[in-house]
Amino acid sequence: RQHPRRRARCSSTRRAILLEVADGKMHSQGSESSRWHPTQLQTAFLEEVFHHNRYVNPSVVRVLADVLNVPQSKVRTWFQNRRQRQRKAIAHRKGTLTLDADAENDIDKDVSVLREEWTSASGLLECSQ
């Protein structure tokens, strides 16, 4: 919780921004679960935090949840999902490079197999003459 004096110092512009950031919607998806659909501003805010630190500690999660007006579990899940999306993007970029390298290795293997076959065929031809 904030100190009362700190809250009084919060400018009206900052308060408006925080209210706008906290305007995400929670939608019911049945009786037990609810899904959070962050606004573009909330996503930009979380992306900025993620840019500075991919792994946030519990106190930061608590603050973000308060600012965004969502449960802490939603913030933790957002960071987990974002880290996974980053891993997939990196793997995809590396995967395309790996495929190119694999294709090159396959060609090298094919050439070496052809050389071996040619060498053994040439040897058989020489022996038969």
Side-chain angles (χ1 to χ4, degrees), residues 36-93:
W36 174 46
H37 297 279
T39 64
Q40 287 181 340
L41 187 60
Q42 286 176 321
T43 302
F45 180 69
L46 288 167
E47 287 287 347
E48 183 67 26
V49 174
F50 182 82
H51 176 71
H52 292 292
N53 190 3
R54 290 177 46 208
Y55 293 90
V56 290
N57 61 37
S59 61
V60 173
V61 169
R62 198 173 316 115
V63 170
L64 289 173
D66 288 344
V67 167
L68 298 173
N69 196 27
V70 294
Q72 292 178 25
S73 62
K74 302 295 181 185
V75 175
R76 281 192 302 270
T77 302
W78 187 91
F79 274 88
Q80 288 172 352
N81 291 340
R82 182 62 181 85
R83 286 191 299 269
Q84 189 60 33
R85 280 195 309 269
Q86 186 178 45
R87 282 186 206 109
K88 282 186 178 183
I90 291 169
H92 178 70
R93 283 194 301 261

Side-chain angles (χ1 to χ4, degrees), residues 4-124:
R5 288 185 197 158
R6 267 195 164 158
R7 188 174 287 156
R9 279 191 244 154
C10 186
S11 70
S12 60
T13 307
R14 182 180 168 147
R15 193 173 300 120
I17 290 171
L18 289 176
L19 286 174
E20 192 173 337
V21 166
D23 196 28
K25 306 292 183 214
M26 294 289 291
H27 297 287
S28 288
Q29 299 261 336
S31 60
E32 293 180 19
S33 68
S34 60
R35 184 176 168 119
W36 174 46
H37 297 279
T39 64
Q40 287 181 340
L41 187 60
Q42 286 176 321
T43 302
F45 180 69
L46 288 167
E47 287 287 347
E48 183 67 26
V49 174
F50 182 82
H51 176 71
H52 292 292
N53 190 3
R54 290 177 46 208
Y55 293 90
V56 290
N57 61 37
S59 61
V60 173
V61 169
R62 198 173 316 115
V63 170
L64 289 173
D66 288 344
V67 167
L68 298 173
N69 196 27
V70 294
Q72 292 178 25
S73 62
K74 302 295 181 185
V75 175
R76 281 192 302 270
T77 302
W78 187 91
F79 274 88
Q80 288 172 352
N81 291 340
R82 182 62 181 85
R83 286 191 299 269
Q84 189 60 33
R85 280 195 309 269
Q86 186 178 45
R87 282 186 206 109
K88 282 186 178 183
I90 291 169
H92 178 70
R93 283 194 301 261
K94 285 183 179 179
T96 55
L97 295 175
T98 304
L99 289 176
D100 292 343
D102 287 345
E104 197 171 310
N105 287 338
D106 289 344
I107 291 170
D108 289 343
K109 286 177 186 174
D110 290 342
V111 168
S112 65
V113 167
L114 288 173
R115 261 192 208 124
E116 288 174 16
E117 288 176 357
W118 175 254
T119 304
S120 63
S122 296
L124 288 175

